[in-house]
Amino acid sequence: MSDDLLNLSLTEVAGLIRRRKVSSLEVTRAIIARAQRVQPKLNCFISLEAEEALKAARAADRAIARKAKVGPLHGVPLAHKDMYYREGKVSTCGSKILRDYRADTTSTAVERLAAAGAIWLGGLNMAEFAANPTGHNEHWGHCRNPWNPAHLTGGSSSGSGSAVGSRACYGSLGSDTGGSVRLPAAMCGVVGIKPTYGRVSRHGILPRAWSLDTVGHLTRTARDCARMLRAISGHDPRDATSSREPVPHYEEMLNERIRGLRIGVPKNHYHDDIAPDVAKRMEESLAVLRSLGARLVDVTVPDPQAIFLISNTISLCEAATLHAEWMRTRPQDYSLLVRTRVEPGYHIPAPSYLEALNLRPRVTREFVETVLDKCDVLHIPVITMPVPTIAETEVGASAQVPALIARITRNTRPFNYLGTPALSVPAGFTDNGLPAAFQLVGRPFAEGLLLRVAHAYQGETSWHTLMPKL
């Protein structure tokens, strides 16, 4: 029975627990056993709080037994990127500097998941200070891909991709500043969402670049993603940038058909240098959407390299500011990879940073008018190459590593600057046996539409149901 439980989605297992077809304790035991089994191969957990999770599961079952009102995630074990603070608990942020850091506050997203009934299973491995897109981590060890441990998970939410992909948890909070949810989701074969900037409160999480940071999450299905998104979304007075936009019932929106929707396919930039096997997966996914009645529309997009450069100015400056004290007092406690990603921020003039911020509303408006006025949803690859190995993306492995890393984030970073929602959806496998994925992008606060398209696609395909053999 435990293996059957592992193959269930978050919403499926939540329904079984609610109807008392299975207990939260049984589910949690199965997930803990799976996590313990895969951890030596994948290194996806920094902390596995088994006893605390079992205690919470027993409490969840007692609540069901006494017919208490329960939330939509009641009794479901989730694990999260180890940068979500819980008062008095250690949050390492994947670093040496914060190895023993205990927060004096609790993340709003964590509080809202707890209110929905979710169980905290543990803290997941991540790129040090959320500062690289590959998942390398010298302090806690590299996280590994469940489909082939020699390959990248993607970062910075590396443990989230690996744990959800390996069925060691049912869902996970990550964070996305330039692709850090969508890349691990794509590389590990799961769904990952970067909501609209401000859709989810960032209170109580490690910042990377506050003008670009977005709380997102990884799940097995679009329906799971919709349920988690509703649970964590909404205004928070503790985060001045959080939006007051009403939160829709995302799951109910999944039932609408996509017939007649315009799916935008860029004629330029986002498919440049695409590998043939990735291109084939993109064509196949578009064929599925067309078969469901969606219309494919060619669109011309602004050069994402220009947005990439502006975004880079912001992320470098803000990261340099956030790390200034430790860079002065503890530079030796950073890995070379992270230190070299922070230091350039100290050499960018303040007017350049302010200009990059001031351009943002105009650039976003132009993107919406030139692209999203011509289509309802944009469809592009998450990455244009098969998932690379850990070894070939190590710092100093070759002179091509910086260009390779830039290529990894080329299709994700623009949408953090634009603030638009973006969703990574599994779309099969490339010739090396690693997952491929497409990315859906929409207008601000169009998360429901993106999830509806993804759900329709998953109704016709089975990629999201496949479980890696470990």
Side-chain angles (χ1 to χ4, degrees), residues 180-199:
S180 289
V181 164
R182 289 161 289 158
L183 291 169
M187 294 188 193
C188 295
V190 298
V191 173
I193 192 166
K194 182 204 85 67
T196 306
Y197 183 80
R199 173 79 285 181

PDB file of all heavy atoms in Angstrom, residues 180-199:
ATOM      1  N   SER A 180      14.299  29.970 -10.281  1.00  0.00           N
ATOM      2  CA  SER A 180      14.703  28.997  -9.256  1.00  0.00           C
ATOM      3  C   SER A 180      13.626  28.022  -8.824  1.00  0.00           C
ATOM      4  O   SER A 180      13.915  27.073  -8.107  1.00  0.00           O
ATOM      5  CB  SER A 180      15.242  29.737  -8.026  1.00  0.00           C
ATOM      6  OG  SER A 180      16.495  30.310  -8.310  1.00  0.00           O
ATOM      7  N   VAL A 181      12.384  28.214  -9.239  1.00  0.00           N
ATOM      8  CA  VAL A 181      11.340  27.193  -9.107  1.00  0.00           C
ATOM      9  C   VAL A 181      11.177  26.454 -10.434  1.00  0.00           C
ATOM     10  O   VAL A 181      11.132  25.225 -10.484  1.00  0.00           O
ATOM     11  CB  VAL A 181       9.996  27.809  -8.679  1.00  0.00           C
ATOM     12  CG1 VAL A 181       8.841  26.846  -8.928  1.00  0.00           C
ATOM     13  CG2 VAL A 181      10.028  28.169  -7.200  1.00  0.00           C
ATOM     14  N   ARG A 182      11.118  27.206 -11.523  1.00  0.00           N
ATOM     15  CA  ARG A 182      10.816  26.606 -12.825  1.00  0.00           C
ATOM     16  C   ARG A 182      11.942  25.700 -13.324  1.00  0.00           C
ATOM     17  O   ARG A 182      11.678  24.658 -13.933  1.00  0.00           O
ATOM     18  CB  ARG A 182      10.534  27.721 -13.833  1.00  0.00           C
ATOM     19  CG  ARG A 182       9.204  28.436 -13.587  1.00  0.00           C
ATOM     20  CD  ARG A 182       9.160  29.789 -14.275  1.00  0.00           C
ATOM     21  NE  ARG A 182      10.035  30.739 -13.616  1.00  0.00           N
ATOM     22  CZ  ARG A 182      10.524  31.828 -14.192  1.00  0.00           C
ATOM     23  NH1 ARG A 182      10.258  32.081 -15.474  1.00  0.00           N
ATOM     24  NH2 ARG A 182      11.302  32.668 -13.521  1.00  0.00           N
ATOM     25  N   LEU A 183      13.194  26.066 -13.068  1.00  0.00           N
ATOM     26  CA  LEU A 183      14.310  25.229 -13.528  1.00  0.00           C
ATOM     27  C   LEU A 183      14.338  23.868 -12.832  1.00  0.00           C
ATOM     28  O   LEU A 183      14.423  22.828 -13.509  1.00  0.00           O
ATOM     29  CB  LEU A 183      15.626  25.973 -13.352  1.00  0.00           C
ATOM     30  CG  LEU A 183      15.817  27.182 -14.283  1.00  0.00           C
ATOM     31  CD1 LEU A 183      17.021  28.008 -13.848  1.00  0.00           C
ATOM     32  CD2 LEU A 183      15.979  26.731 -15.730  1.00  0.00           C
ATOM     33  N   PRO A 184      14.278  23.797 -11.480  1.00  0.00           N
ATOM     34  CA  PRO A 184      14.228  22.478 -10.848  1.00  0.00           C
ATOM     35  C   PRO A 184      12.987  21.679 -11.238  1.00  0.00           C
ATOM     36  O   PRO A 184      13.054  20.456 -11.383  1.00  0.00           O
ATOM     37  CB  PRO A 184      14.226  22.798  -9.346  1.00  0.00           C
ATOM     38  CG  PRO A 184      14.771  24.166  -9.242  1.00  0.00           C
ATOM     39  CD  PRO A 184      14.362  24.874 -10.500  1.00  0.00           C
ATOM     40  N   ALA A 185      11.864  22.364 -11.404  1.00  0.00           N
ATOM     41  CA  ALA A 185      10.655  21.660 -11.829  1.00  0.00           C
ATOM     42  C   ALA A 185      10.869  21.030 -13.203  1.00  0.00           C
ATOM     43  O   ALA A 185      10.542  19.859 -13.423  1.00  0.00           O
ATOM     44  CB  ALA A 185       9.470  22.618 -11.862  1.00  0.00           C
ATOM     45  N   ALA A 186      11.425  21.809 -14.122  1.00  0.00           N
ATOM     46  CA  ALA A 186      11.652  21.311 -15.477  1.00  0.00           C
ATOM     47  C   ALA A 186      12.644  20.158 -15.496  1.00  0.00           C
ATOM     48  O   ALA A 186      12.433  19.145 -16.169  1.00  0.00           O
ATOM     49  CB  ALA A 186      12.148  22.452 -16.369  1.00  0.00           C
ATOM     50  N   MET A 187      13.734  20.306 -14.753  1.00  0.00           N
ATOM     51  CA  MET A 187      14.798  19.303 -14.808  1.00  0.00           C
ATOM     52  C   MET A 187      14.442  18.028 -14.047  1.00  0.00           C
ATOM     53  O   MET A 187      15.006  16.964 -14.321  1.00  0.00           O
ATOM     54  CB  MET A 187      16.091  19.896 -14.262  1.00  0.00           C
ATOM     55  CG  MET A 187      16.659  21.016 -15.108  1.00  0.00           C
ATOM     56  SD  MET A 187      18.298  21.534 -14.543  1.00  0.00           S
ATOM     57  CE  MET A 187      18.509  23.072 -15.444  1.00  0.00           C
ATOM     58  N   CYS A 188      13.515  18.120 -13.092  1.00  0.00           N
ATOM     59  CA  CYS A 188      13.143  16.950 -12.286  1.00  0.00           C
ATOM     60  C   CYS A 188      11.781  16.374 -12.659  1.00  0.00           C
ATOM     61  O   CYS A 188      11.302  15.434 -12.028  1.00  0.00           O
ATOM     62  CB  CYS A 188      13.175  17.308 -10.801  1.00  0.00           C
ATOM     63  SG  CYS A 188      14.842  17.734 -10.198  1.00  0.00           S
ATOM     64  N   GLY A 189      11.111  16.956 -13.668  1.00  0.00           N
ATOM     65  CA  GLY A 189       9.889  16.361 -14.184  1.00  0.00           C
ATOM     66  C   GLY A 189       8.636  16.634 -13.394  1.00  0.00           C
ATOM     67  O   GLY A 189       7.730  15.786 -13.358  1.00  0.00           O
ATOM     68  N   VAL A 190       8.537  17.828 -12.761  1.00  0.00           N
ATOM     69  CA  VAL A 190       7.340  18.172 -11.999  1.00  0.00           C
ATOM     70  C   VAL A 190       6.830  19.554 -12.425  1.00  0.00           C
ATOM     71  O   VAL A 190       7.444  20.230 -13.252  1.00  0.00           O
ATOM     72  CB  VAL A 190       7.620  18.146 -10.474  1.00  0.00           C
ATOM     73  CG1 VAL A 190       8.017  16.744 -10.037  1.00  0.00           C
ATOM     74  CG2 VAL A 190       8.701  19.153 -10.074  1.00  0.00           C
ATOM     75  N   VAL A 191       5.711  19.954 -11.860  1.00  0.00           N
ATOM     76  CA  VAL A 191       5.122  21.263 -12.137  1.00  0.00           C
ATOM     77  C   VAL A 191       5.710  22.294 -11.185  1.00  0.00           C
ATOM     78  O   VAL A 191       5.873  22.019  -9.993  1.00  0.00           O
ATOM     79  CB  VAL A 191       3.586  21.203 -11.977  1.00  0.00           C
ATOM     80  CG1 VAL A 191       2.976  22.596 -12.090  1.00  0.00           C
ATOM     81  CG2 VAL A 191       2.976  20.268 -12.999  1.00  0.00           C
ATOM     82  N   GLY A 192       6.026  23.475 -11.697  1.00  0.00           N
ATOM     83  CA  GLY A 192       6.540  24.536 -10.832  1.00  0.00           C
ATOM     84  C   GLY A 192       6.014  25.883 -11.266  1.00  0.00           C
ATOM     85  O   GLY A 192       6.033  26.208 -12.459  1.00  0.00           O
ATOM     86  N   ILE A 193       5.533  26.674 -10.306  1.00  0.00           N
ATOM     87  CA  ILE A 193       4.948  27.977 -10.642  1.00  0.00           C
ATOM     88  C   ILE A 193       5.707  29.129 -10.011  1.00  0.00           C
ATOM     89  O   ILE A 193       6.113  29.074  -8.848  1.00  0.00           O
ATOM     90  CB  ILE A 193       3.459  28.039 -10.236  1.00  0.00           C
ATOM     91  CG1 ILE A 193       2.798  29.280 -10.850  1.00  0.00           C
ATOM     92  CG2 ILE A 193       3.286  28.022  -8.714  1.00  0.00           C
ATOM     93  CD1 ILE A 193       1.285  29.257 -10.794  1.00  0.00           C
ATOM     94  N   LYS A 194       5.936  30.158 -10.827  1.00  0.00           N
ATOM     95  CA  LYS A 194       6.348  31.463 -10.341  1.00  0.00           C
ATOM     96  C   LYS A 194       5.133  32.366 -10.484  1.00  0.00           C
ATOM     97  O   LYS A 194       4.781  32.769 -11.593  1.00  0.00           O
ATOM     98  CB  LYS A 194       7.504  32.031 -11.173  1.00  0.00           C
ATOM     99  CG  LYS A 194       7.995  33.394 -10.654  1.00  0.00           C
ATOM    100  CD  LYS A 194       8.664  34.210 -11.721  1.00  0.00           C
ATOM    101  CE  LYS A 194       7.684  35.005 -12.543  1.00  0.00           C
ATOM    102  NZ  LYS A 194       6.991  36.081 -11.780  1.00  0.00           N
ATOM    103  N   PRO A 195       4.435  32.668  -9.397  1.00  0.00           N
ATOM    104  CA  PRO A 195       3.255  33.528  -9.515  1.00  0.00           C
ATOM    105  C   PRO A 195       3.637  34.970  -9.876  1.00  0.00           C
ATOM    106  O   PRO A 195       4.815  35.333  -9.924  1.00  0.00           O
ATOM    107  CB  PRO A 195       2.631  33.462  -8.114  1.00  0.00           C
ATOM    108  CG  PRO A 195       3.269  32.280  -7.443  1.00  0.00           C
ATOM    109  CD  PRO A 195       4.634  32.183  -8.037  1.00  0.00           C
ATOM    110  N   THR A 196       2.627  35.769 -10.106  1.00  0.00           N
ATOM    111  CA  THR A 196       2.822  37.195 -10.292  1.00  0.00           C
ATOM    112  C   THR A 196       3.554  37.793  -9.096  1.00  0.00           C
ATOM    113  O   THR A 196       3.313  37.409  -7.949  1.00  0.00           O
ATOM    114  CB  THR A 196       1.456  37.888 -10.448  1.00  0.00           C
ATOM    115  OG1 THR A 196       0.728  37.249 -11.501  1.00  0.00           O
ATOM    116  CG2 THR A 196       1.602  39.369 -10.739  1.00  0.00           C
ATOM    117  N   TYR A 197       4.433  38.753  -9.350  1.00  0.00           N
ATOM    118  CA  TYR A 197       5.128  39.434  -8.270  1.00  0.00           C
ATOM    119  C   TYR A 197       4.103  40.039  -7.303  1.00  0.00           C
ATOM    120  O   TYR A 197       3.218  40.784  -7.707  1.00  0.00           O
ATOM    121  CB  TYR A 197       6.013  40.542  -8.852  1.00  0.00           C
ATOM    122  CG  TYR A 197       6.848  41.277  -7.827  1.00  0.00           C
ATOM    123  CD1 TYR A 197       8.032  40.724  -7.352  1.00  0.00           C
ATOM    124  CD2 TYR A 197       6.453  42.524  -7.343  1.00  0.00           C
ATOM    125  CE1 TYR A 197       8.810  41.395  -6.421  1.00  0.00           C
ATOM    126  CE2 TYR A 197       7.221  43.197  -6.416  1.00  0.00           C
ATOM    127  CZ  TYR A 197       8.397  42.634  -5.949  1.00  0.00           C
ATOM    128  OH  TYR A 197       9.159  43.301  -5.024  1.00  0.00           O
ATOM    129  N   GLY A 198       4.194  39.667  -6.031  1.00  0.00           N
ATOM    130  CA  GLY A 198       3.273  40.176  -5.023  1.00  0.00           C
ATOM    131  C   GLY A 198       2.061  39.305  -4.771  1.00  0.00           C
ATOM    132  O   GLY A 198       1.298  39.567  -3.837  1.00  0.00           O
ATOM    133  N   ARG A 199       1.865  38.260  -5.577  1.00  0.00           N
ATOM    134  CA  ARG A 199       0.710  37.382  -5.388  1.00  0.00           C
ATOM    135  C   ARG A 199       0.784  36.651  -4.039  1.00  0.00           C
ATOM    136  O   ARG A 199      -0.230  36.413  -3.383  1.00  0.00           O
ATOM    137  CB  ARG A 199       0.666  36.372  -6.537  1.00  0.00           C
ATOM    138  CG  ARG A 199      -0.363  35.257  -6.435  1.00  0.00           C
ATOM    139  CD  ARG A 199      -1.760  35.688  -6.815  1.00  0.00           C
ATOM    140  NE  ARG A 199      -2.410  36.500  -5.802  1.00  0.00           N
ATOM    141  CZ  ARG A 199      -3.635  36.973  -5.900  1.00  0.00           C
ATOM    142  NH1 ARG A 199      -4.366  36.722  -6.974  1.00  0.00           N
ATOM    143  NH2 ARG A 199      -4.154  37.699  -4.942  1.00  0.00           N
TER     144      ARG A 199
END
